[in-house]
Amino acid sequence: MHKTKGESVYIKKLRNSRGFTMAELLVVVSIVAILAMISIPIFTSKLKETEKQTCLYNCQTLARLLRTETQLGVLDDDTVKKVIRSMGIEGEIHDRFMINGKSKEYTCEGLCREKGTYIISDVGDGEQIYYVQCSIHSITAPKYINTHPKESLSALAQLTKFKEYFKRHSTSPLDSTGPNWGIPIKQELAGALNISVGFDFYIYKKPGEDTYKIYIADPLGEWGVKESFTKKEQEEVRKRPPITVHKYEVKIDDKGNVTDINGGDPEPTETEVHLDLKKVPYPDGKNKVFYKMYMDDEEGVPIKIKE
């Protein structure tokens, strides 16, 4: 085949041209790898932030839907769960705890892409006021209390029910699982701090002093009032590993001012506690049995086992 002059020149140049050397290829690959190392974490971070904002928006939307429904009247459990399911929840909706047969807190999963649990709390006392939080993306109630201890404990000390309890029962610990005092105080505190009721507390006052030990824990929703329990039940409880709680040692004066025992701002320390079954005396002289936090640095109340 006859080749034109132009074609011959092109073929000659092509034969004489050299490709990339190995060193040049390695430089290019290294640059691409460095760019990937920089961009992938940024992309992942942006993606996580987007998921977080979407999750928090879902929390706000669900709270608004529930508050809108309350304007039409008091919500029963079925209506609350119907509103929750309107967000696309297909799994189970669990009752965290109940007061007088009415659920005050629900938990469910399915809205958070990182598999966080949604906590839907009614913090109203007499009226329904709902707050919704995600266990991963929201600031949970225990975390809020422990990162704002002065504000939180001061709000607790100002509650009328808190003051009244220790006037009447100066030597009896205050437990957040108690239906007559603990649960209402927890609700009032949650409302005052604008947080969920997804926490528990145990408060011990030293006899004759204004010094208190306050323990803040994640919610122990499965632990409630029981009329009696078996030895097997107690053994199962005692086999559970200790839980980590935040402990405060503070002084509270008559005006509700809170300081640590040295006069500074209250700060928490982490401590481990065991859970146990205890018999608790009631003001009316009757005894009921609680699943309660048993504090390692306090003496336990003697327990009568039902065989």
Side-chain angles (χ1 to χ4, degrees):
M1 179 183 291
H2 178 69
K3 296 180 181 179
T4 66
K5 184 178 179 180
E7 288 177 327
S8 299
V9 172
Y10 174 76
I11 292 172
K12 187 176 180 180
K13 286 183 177 181
L14 190 63
R15 286 174 178 172
N16 293 334
S17 63
R18 67 183 184 86
F20 290 109
T21 64
M22 182 61 70
E24 289 171 333
L25 287 173
L26 288 175
V27 169
V28 172
V29 171
S30 299
I31 292 173
V32 172
I34 291 171
L35 291 174
M37 289 174 61
I38 295 172
S39 61
I40 289 176
I42 294 175
F43 174 77
T44 304
S45 175
K46 292 291 185 182
L47 182 61
K48 284 186 174 292
E49 181 62 25
T50 300
E51 290 178 348
K52 176 183 177 181
Q53 294 304 321
T54 301
C55 182
L56 294 176
Y57 177 77
N58 288 335
C59 290
Q60 294 171 0
T61 301
L62 179 52
R64 279 197 298 268
L65 288 173
L66 287 166
R67 292 179 187 181
T68 299
E69 287 291 328
T70 59
Q71 294 176 5
L72 304 176
V74 177
L75 305 185
D76 57 24
D77 288 345
D78 290 338
T79 304
V80 173
K81 291 179 180 180
K82 183 179 179 180
V83 174
I84 295 172
R85 291 202 182 281
S86 72
M87 293 287 293
I89 298 293
E90 297 180 355
E92 290 189 40
I93 299 173
H94 302 280
D95 298 314
R96 177 86 81 164
F97 68 86
M98 303 181 73
I99 301 176
N100 299 324
K102 174 73 177 69
S103 291
K104 299 296 288 183
E105 189 160 276
Y106 309 83
T107 60
C108 62
E109 297 178 355
L111 281 178
C112 177
R113 298 189 66 176
E114 294 188 33
K115 298 183 179 180
T117 299
Y118 274 34
I119 305 166
I120 301 98
S121 305
D122 175 10
V123 302
D125 187 11
E127 59 178 322
Q128 290 176 305
I129 303 173
Y130 287 94
Y131 290 95
V132 182
Q133 292 184 312
C134 171
S135 61
I136 292 177
H137 296 115
S138 302
I139 298 179
T140 62
K143 184 176 180 180
Y144 183 90
I145 292 172
N146 293 319
T147 53
H148 302 79
K150 186 175 179 64
E151 173 197 350
S152 302
L153 299 186
S154 295
L156 173 67
Q158 295 293 336
L159 296 179
T160 302
K161 278 187 174 291
F162 175 84
K163 297 176 182 178
E164 187 178 348
Y165 178 86
F166 282 106
K167 282 183 180 178
R168 294 189 181 188
H169 318 290
S170 59
T171 59
S172 298
L174 173 61
D175 192 302
S176 58
T177 62
N180 295 330
W181 293 93
I183 291 176
I185 289 173
K186 178 165 69 170
Q187 285 182 271
E188 287 188 28
L189 179 60
L193 297 175
N194 196 20
I195 59 175
S196 83
V197 288
F199 67 98
D200 274 304
F201 60 73
Y202 183 94
I203 303 172
Y204 172 77
K205 184 178 185 296
K206 289 188 177 180
E209 299 182 21
D210 58 358
T211 304
Y212 297 76
K213 291 181 182 178
I214 300 176
Y215 300 82
I216 304 294
D218 285 335
L220 304 172
E222 74 229 57
W223 308 75
V225 180
K226 295 188 68 175
E227 295 292 341
S228 61
F229 57 88
T230 65
K231 187 174 182 179
K232 182 179 179 181
E233 285 179 308
Q234 186 189 45
E235 289 174 351
E236 289 176 352
V237 171
R238 289 181 171 178
K239 287 178 182 177
R240 295 195 177 200
I243 62 171
T244 300
V245 300
H246 287 80
K247 174 183 176 181
Y248 298 85
E249 290 192 60
V250 299
K251 290 185 176 182
I252 303 177
D253 63 22
D254 294 338
K255 296 181 179 179
N257 297 314
V258 181
T259 63
D260 70 8
I261 56 176
N262 297 316
D265 289 340
E267 292 292 339
T269 56
E270 287 190 1
T271 186
E272 287 189 339
V273 298
H274 289 92
L275 300 173
D276 203 348
L277 288 169
K278 298 172 66 174
K279 177 169 284 189
V280 181
Y282 266 48
D284 58 9
K286 297 179 181 179
N287 283 329
K288 288 185 183 294
V289 175
F290 276 77
Y291 288 103
K292 297 189 69 172
M293 288 188 286
Y294 182 109
M295 299 304 156
D296 288 345
D297 57 353
E298 295 170 21
E299 294 182 1
V301 178
I303 303 169
K304 182 179 181 181
I305 305 298
K306 178 181 178 182
E307 300 293 346

